[in-house]
Amino acid sequence: MAKKDMDWANIGFGYVKTDKRYVSEYKGGKWDDGVITDDDTITLSECACVFQYAQTVFEGLKAYTTEDGRTVTFRPDLNAERMMDSAKRLEMPPFPKERFLDAVKKVVKANEDFVPPYGSGATLYIRPFMFGANPVIGVKPAEEYQFRIFTTPVGPYFKGGAKPITVRISDFDRAAPRGTGHIKAGLNYAMSLHAIVDAHNNGFAENIYLDPGTRTKIEETGGANIIFIDGDGNMVTPASDSILPSITRRSLMVVAEKYLGIKVTQRDVTLAEVESGAFKECGLCGTAAVISPVGCINDHGREIKFASGMEKMGPTLQKLYDTLTGIQMGRIEAPEGWIYEIK
Ligand code: PLP
Ligand code: COI
């Protein structure tokens, strides 16, 4: 299949309509067989549960062209499982894992000419999502749902690509104790919109949210988990029940230990510890962010500068980045089951 004629090296992180998408509907207590369709629009009742009570969850993963020309996705089984967990928390019928994997395969295959070429720096972002579709006015879950997947080619999530960014400590909370911070629900992102607009207006690329219970510990940003490298080159990442369990972060913990011999600890990380200069490198990690280096954290005017500086990624994060992307692009052998080929 001929690749689309796009300026792959210069696309940003935005929506580009591709040819096909996948749709399955849930009615009468079961999911239908699902179809690939050209229609990118959705027509719903004005009273659909998703519009009134935000009953919607989503996922994000990517398809890559490997060095030897295969199209692959990275650990989609974990996206399937996380989406089932998200659905259960919002009283939605989970879309079965095997069906999810089959739908990813079908939709990527149908849009294969939008999967950016190897070495272009771009990837095909895959967005599975589902929502309550029938009219609901009393507060209760819907009875009918749609599960959909669309794809869109993307470049780097943060402007400037691999250049370190400055992020700020947010005065807003992202998640409540015992709330929904650990699932990928649209509602978590709705409540972060004001905070991100305000951060951008003040010159910051993202918000770091603190733990909602005590506001003393680092949690994550609006769209990525956080990793730190300490003075001995060890990786440290926050532990919390209200953080989204990032597949990238979980993968990096394995890459660090098994491929690079880096000690990994997941534990409470206090803002005071970060301010004390305990860490030499800091990065945001996620499907969209991959690893985006943080050069400076601004805490209400006080600047916490990392030794790695504002010019490039620090040496340990660079090794993690090279190994992870090497696995995703087929240059480095992956652990069993991490690469799911689209054939
Ligand atoms: N945290 C939040 C709030 C996110 O939106 C994302 C993106 O998916 C992540 C972390 C990273 O998760 P993953 O690595 O599974 O993409
Ligand atoms: C992802 O990394 O897939 C996300 O969903 C993050 C989002 C902010 C784009």
Side-chain angles (χ1 to χ4, degrees):
M1 214 186 287
K3 292 287 177 200
K4 296 282 175 184
D5 183 20
M6 290 183 68
D7 184 10
W8 302 110
N10 292 306
I11 55 176
F13 198 92
Y15 174 72
V16 174
K17 189 177 136 185
T18 59
D19 291 340
K20 308 280 179 186
R21 60 275 308 129
Y22 178 90
V23 187
S24 177
E25 293 192 48
Y26 183 92
K27 278 190 184 146
K30 59 178 192 330
W31 290 103
D32 71 11
D33 288 344
V35 287
I36 291 286
T37 167
D38 290 345
D39 189 0
D40 62 319
T41 63
I42 302 171
T43 302
L44 291 177
S45 161
E46 61 191 354
C47 199
C49 196
V50 60
F51 297 141
Q52 304 311 321
Y53 304 123
Q55 195 187 22
T56 177
V57 298
F58 69 102
E59 271 303 323
L61 66 161
K62 285 174 171 172
Y64 310 83
T65 304
T66 60
E67 193 170 25
D68 60 1
R70 290 171 299 132
T71 301
V72 301
T73 58
F74 182 71
R75 311 191 76 182
D77 52 322
L78 298 190
N79 295 96
E81 287 168 10
R82 191 170 63 187
M83 194 165 184
M84 293 173 77
D85 291 341
S86 298
K88 284 180 205 156
R89 180 66 177 76
L90 294 197
E91 290 294 333
M92 306 167 88
F95 194 71
K97 181 169 160 181
E98 289 313 315
R99 296 266 334 256
F100 181 102
L101 295 174
D102 180 56
V104 166
K105 187 174 278 192
K106 285 193 171 116
V107 80
V108 174
K109 191 80 202 151
N111 292 296
E112 204 162 9
D113 40 359
F114 284 95
V115 185
Y118 175 76
S120 65
T123 51
L124 187 73
Y125 187 72
I126 305 165
R127 172 53 64 90
F129 64 112
M130 57 188 274
F131 52 85
N134 65 292
V136 163
I137 194 68
V139 178
K140 61 174 186 183
E143 281 156 10
E144 296 176 2
Y145 294 86
Q146 280 191 35
F147 169 90
R148 303 177 73 103
I149 307 181
F150 67 80
T151 63
T152 181
V154 294
Y157 189 64
F158 292 104
K159 282 197 211 91
K163 272 260 180 194
I165 52 175
T166 298
V167 299
R168 71 162 184 195
I169 301 293
S170 175
D171 282 334
F172 300 99
D173 291 329
R174 174 184 175 274
R178 296 170 290 282
T180 55
H182 61 296
I183 61 161
K184 208 160 167 62
L187 61 92
N188 292 332
Y189 299 80
M191 55 66 56
S192 76
L193 294 177
H194 175 61
I196 194 69
V197 168
D198 193 56
H200 288 165
N201 286 343
N202 285 285
F204 303 111
E206 250 288 13
N207 289 293
I208 289 187
Y209 293 99
L210 300 176
D211 75 291
T214 70
R215 305 205 92 253
T216 58
K217 292 177 269 184
I218 302 286
E219 293 248 293
E220 62 173 327
T221 67
N225 279 184
I226 305 180
I227 52 179
F228 295 98
I229 306 297
D230 71 13
D232 298 320
N234 301 318
M235 175 172 153
V236 178
T237 188
S240 161
D241 290 344
S242 45
I243 290 178
L244 189 78
S246 158
I247 294 163
T248 313
R249 192 255 305 148
R250 285 183 271 161
S251 303
L252 285 170
M253 291 169 76
V254 177
V255 165
E257 279 187 333
K258 301 273 185 304
Y259 285 68
L260 300 171
I262 294 170
K263 190 170 152 241
V264 179
T265 316
Q266 189 174 11
R267 61 163 170 82
D268 286 351
V269 176
T270 61
L271 176 58
E273 180 183 12
V274 178
E275 289 192 329
S276 77
F279 302 113
K280 305 298 171 220
E281 298 177 46
C282 174
L284 310 186
C285 69
T287 298
V290 193
I291 299 179
S292 299
V294 173
C296 179
I297 298 176
N298 189 302
D299 178 15
H300 301 87
R302 185 180 160 176
E303 293 192 323
I304 308 164
K305 293 184 171 154
F306 292 95
S308 49
M310 293 304 293
E311 283 312 309
K312 57 179 177 23
M313 202 180 276
T316 306
L317 286 189
Q318 188 69 54
K319 273 191 239 164
L320 286 164
Y321 178 92
D322 291 345
T323 311
L324 177 71
T325 54
I327 289 170
Q328 290 167 335
M329 310 278 175
R331 292 187 298 268
I332 296 173
E333 192 170 336
E336 178 76 33
W338 279 23
I339 298 298
Y340 181 81
E341 195 167 336
I342 309 296
K343 287 194 251 203

